[in-house]
Amino acid sequence: MSTAILTGPPPAGSSLEDDLRELGFDVRVAADAATLRDGLAAVPATERVALVDPGFVGHVHALRLALTDPRFPAAAVEGALSVQSEARGALTRAVTEGEAVGAVAARLEAEGVPVHRPELGVLVAAVPADDDTRAKALAEVASVDDEAVRLRSAVKSRDGFFTTFCISPYSRYIARWCARRGLTPNQVTTASLLTALIAAGCAATGTRGGFVAAGVLLIASFVLDCTDGQLARYSLQYSTLGAWLDATFDRAKEYAYYAGLAIGAAHGGGHDDVWALALGAMVLQTCRHVVDFSFTEANHDATANTSPTAALSDRLDSVGWTVWARRMIVLPIGERWALIAVLTALTTPRIVFTVLLIGCAVAACYTTAGRVLRSLTRKARRTDRAAQALADLADSGPLAELSARVTARRPGGGATAPVLAFAGTGVLLLLLWWHAAPGWWPVLGAGLYAVFAGAAVARPLKGPLDWLVPPAFRAAEYVTVLILAARSGAPGALPAAFGLVAAVAYHHYDTVYRIRGGTGAPPHRLVRAVGGHEGRVLAVTTAAALWQHGQGFAIALTVLAVAIALVVLGESIRFWVSSGAPAVHDETGEPA
């Protein structure tokens, strides 16, 4: 249990002690500065401790936001401050002179401890100076429904149309129901995954009844997917494990559902083979996300943002209908899953994937074009951190590193990196396309691709369009696997290719969320162990050349998929359950 220390006795009739106990605190009262210091010393160093002014007047949720959020080493509102174990030493030094709670928070910041100050909106948090102002503050507290504010704040401020109007109006109440019964966000996340896997199993039956059940269950899974985040915000239950589950399960659910549809198409009455379409949908969706991630990482700490394109976007946001139109055209997760569910129930897997591919392609063109325009028109100087993030997202292995060392001293302009990346990708895909039968020409293309890839990352990625380098590499690798598997004709090659791309995509998503959490990319030994993007391309093209007939190529893809999955999952699990992993959850509302 956490401990809250009141810096003096509360006034008669105050509910402050009861409010703190409701939030899970053991409440103690300090009569003076010496007693306060003794009280702090008595609290175990591993526990959270809060200091609260006895005259505090405010909503319970204001106290909850300041005193119970686990993501911050220290947090404060007027009259209340909490610190976690890493800031306990600074807190002890800050109260040596017996300052008021607000002064203690200021001294913590002066010592370099970041103090989070939550946005309260209409919530009240005050320390009235006299009876009149106290009565006024109490009246303000009574005029605002604390619970209604808490429910509203459980929903992301920026979300897609379908999520905002078709899910969140009731999923927030499911979140509250879960909170009152002691359920955790991780349990709801797991329930969402299991529901999606059952939906995939229903789709795999290939029957109309199975497809209808799959569509209904996919929507139910999405409702739970929204509920877990709303439950985390409602009850401030953020955790490292929850961050990992939240970051990975969405992709696992969607891609498992694609596999279920492909199996169902093959087992249904039409015996339709749509594995190539399923893999194409996964490739396109993953490449879209890489564009999003790369652009964000390249610009999130830019020193300036003077893009006329960004200014136009801000102006359009002031026109109501354009906001929703622009959010829907990018086909975020809510709209995408609703589309998949409806089409699954009413049509065939081939139609589902065809429509999905068209919709995602339009969304990709729209978002990428807008970001290219922003990058070309903004005057921003990118930081070393952004350049390092792009280099990490590139996922370069030993072959690219060797090429980079050879070409590092060659001069180049601002567009050199993306030009080289796309040139290497173009050479590789051109040789794959021209030589329909598997052979050694694609292996030559893979070798040239490795040379171009190394040259692209030989210098810091600080150019205006250098964020396009990681998406180019992802497209080259994933499309290579898709083309070779589709053209091999080997039984099981496409399902094996689906598994391989899924394993590699997990590695790339894991890299993104580690960078977002501020802990940096996975250790370079992991990248070397799985070959880097250029090493895997060379391995796949070589396997296709060696085993042109029979099931050899499918077996090679399966072995490679299993090996990569074991290595990256093992390292990922080790990291995300460690004490150094960040409890970072997506609060941006950006489409997923």
Side-chain angles (χ1 to χ4, degrees):
M1 179 180 287
S2 302
T3 300
I5 302 176
L6 298 178
T7 58
S14 172
S15 64
L16 183 56
E17 292 186 68
D18 291 335
D19 292 341
L20 291 170
R21 291 190 181 97
E22 178 185 334
L23 295 177
F25 285 93
D26 176 27
V27 181
R28 304 174 186 177
V29 179
D32 52 38
T35 307
L36 175 59
R37 290 193 296 273
D38 292 340
L40 283 174
V43 177
T46 57
E47 285 188 9
R48 173 193 292 270
V49 64
L51 299 183
V52 183
D53 192 295
F56 176 87
V57 173
H59 290 98
V60 175
H61 192 52
L63 284 173
R64 181 181 290 107
L65 291 171
L67 305 185
T68 67
D69 196 323
R71 295 173 296 173
F72 310 103
V77 293
E78 182 69 27
L81 165 71
S82 73
V83 301
Q84 300 205 64
S85 57
E86 58 263 41
R88 286 287 300 276
L91 177 64
T92 301
R93 293 189 296 273
V95 299
T96 52
E97 298 178 12
E99 292 96 341
V101 172
V104 172
R107 291 193 63 185
L108 282 177
E109 290 178 308
E111 286 205 27
V113 177
V115 178
H116 173 66
R117 299 182 186 273
E119 292 288 339
L120 297 182
V122 296
L123 296 177
V124 176
V127 181
D130 52 47
D131 290 342
D132 289 340
T133 54
R134 181 177 180 83
K136 182 179 178 181
L138 288 170
E140 292 175 350
V141 170
S143 68
V144 175
D145 187 343
D146 178 272
E147 180 62 19
V149 173
R150 187 182 177 190
L151 270 175
R152 286 198 302 270
S153 63
V155 179
K156 285 182 182 178
S157 59
R158 185 180 186 276
D159 227 327
F161 180 90
F162 180 77
T163 304
T164 299
F165 294 103
C166 300
I167 304 296
S168 293
Y170 58 89
S171 62
R172 68 184 75 181
Y173 295 101
I174 300 175
R176 181 171 67 180
W177 182 90
C178 292
R180 291 178 175 176
R181 282 151 185 82
L183 297 176
T184 67
N186 293 348
Q187 291 170 331
V188 178
T189 301
T190 303
S192 176
L193 174 66
L194 293 175
T195 304
L197 293 179
I198 295 171
C202 291
T205 64
T207 64
R208 178 53 53 194
F211 288 152
V212 172
V216 172
L217 288 171
L218 187 63
I219 294 298
S221 174
F222 183 65
V223 172
L224 292 173
D225 182 58
C226 295
T227 300
D228 65 358
Q230 291 166 359
L231 174 58
R233 287 182 287 274
Y234 180 84
S235 57
L236 299 183
Q237 295 184 74
Y238 299 101
S239 69
T240 297
L241 178 60
W244 178 53
L245 297 178
D246 185 59
T248 57
F249 276 14
D250 279 352
R251 303 288 78 76
K253 289 181 286 189
E254 187 166 0
Y255 298 159
Y257 191 83
Y258 291 176
L261 280 176
I263 294 171
H267 291 172
H271 298 288
D272 193 9
D273 187 351
V274 296
W275 275 106
L277 293 176
L279 180 52
M282 181 166 65
V283 168
L284 181 54
Q285 187 58 35
T286 305
C287 289
R288 281 187 62 203
H289 284 144
V290 176
V291 169
D292 296 340
F293 299 146
S294 295
F295 180 81
T296 300
E297 290 303 322
N299 294 285
H300 97 284
D301 58 356
T303 54
N305 182 4
T306 56
S307 167
T309 308
L312 174 61
S313 177
D314 292 339
R315 288 197 297 271
L316 287 175
D317 280 343
S318 64
V319 182
W321 69 270
T322 67
V323 174
W324 296 116
R326 291 165 65 221
R327 291 187 189 180
M328 292 174 69
I329 197 174
V330 301
L331 208 61
I333 187 170
E335 277 76 358
R336 192 168 67 252
W337 282 25
L339 176 68
I340 294 170
V342 171
L343 290 177
T344 298
L346 301 179
T347 65
T348 65
R350 180 170 291 274
I351 293 176
V352 173
F353 287 124
T354 301
V355 174
L356 183 63
L357 283 166
I358 293 171
C360 287
V362 171
C365 291
Y366 171 79
T367 55
T368 304
R371 286 166 179 173
V372 168
L373 286 175
R374 289 192 185 199
S375 300
L376 292 174
T377 56
R378 82 191 310 171
K379 297 178 181 178
R381 183 163 52 86
R382 292 190 170 86
T383 63
D384 292 338
R385 180 210 171 278
Q388 183 59 52
L390 291 179
D392 291 333
L393 290 173
D395 194 35
S396 300
L399 295 177
E401 290 175 345
L402 177 62
S403 174
R405 285 195 293 269
V406 173
T407 58
R409 295 184 179 181
R410 297 186 63 183
T416 297
V419 167
L420 289 171
F422 280 104
T425 300
V427 168
L428 172 64
L429 298 183
L430 193 60
L431 287 174
L432 283 170
W433 187 259
W434 274 1
H435 296 273
W440 292 100
W441 281 103
V443 178
L444 174 62
L448 294 173
Y449 169 72
V451 173
F452 278 105
V457 297
R459 288 168 294 277
L461 298 175
K462 292 188 175 182
L465 295 178
D466 284 1
W467 57 271
L468 288 170
V469 171
F473 292 161
R474 296 298 82 76
E477 180 179 2
Y478 298 160
V479 174
T480 295
V481 176
L482 170 59
I483 291 175
L484 289 174
R487 288 184 170 177
S488 73
L494 277 168
F498 190 95
L500 174 58
V501 172
V504 176
Y506 177 85
H507 165 56
H508 291 143
Y509 281 111
D510 187 49
T511 300
V512 166
Y513 283 98
R514 293 200 201 196
I515 294 173
R516 280 188 170 183
T519 58
H524 197 60
R525 66 177 183 275
L526 174 68
V527 178
R528 285 177 168 270
V530 296
H533 64 96
E534 80 290 349
R536 291 187 296 270
V537 167
L538 184 60
V540 172
T541 54
T542 302
L546 289 173
W547 295 288
Q548 299 182 25
H549 307 289
Q551 290 189 312
F553 183 52
I555 294 172
L557 290 178
T558 302
V559 170
L560 188 58
V562 171
I564 291 175
L566 290 175
V567 172
V568 299
L569 277 172
E571 163 58 26
S572 179
I573 292 171
R574 181 208 65 77
F575 170 77
W576 287 101
V577 301
S578 70
S579 59
V584 175
H585 294 245
D586 178 20
E587 302 300 318
T588 64
E590 291 295 333

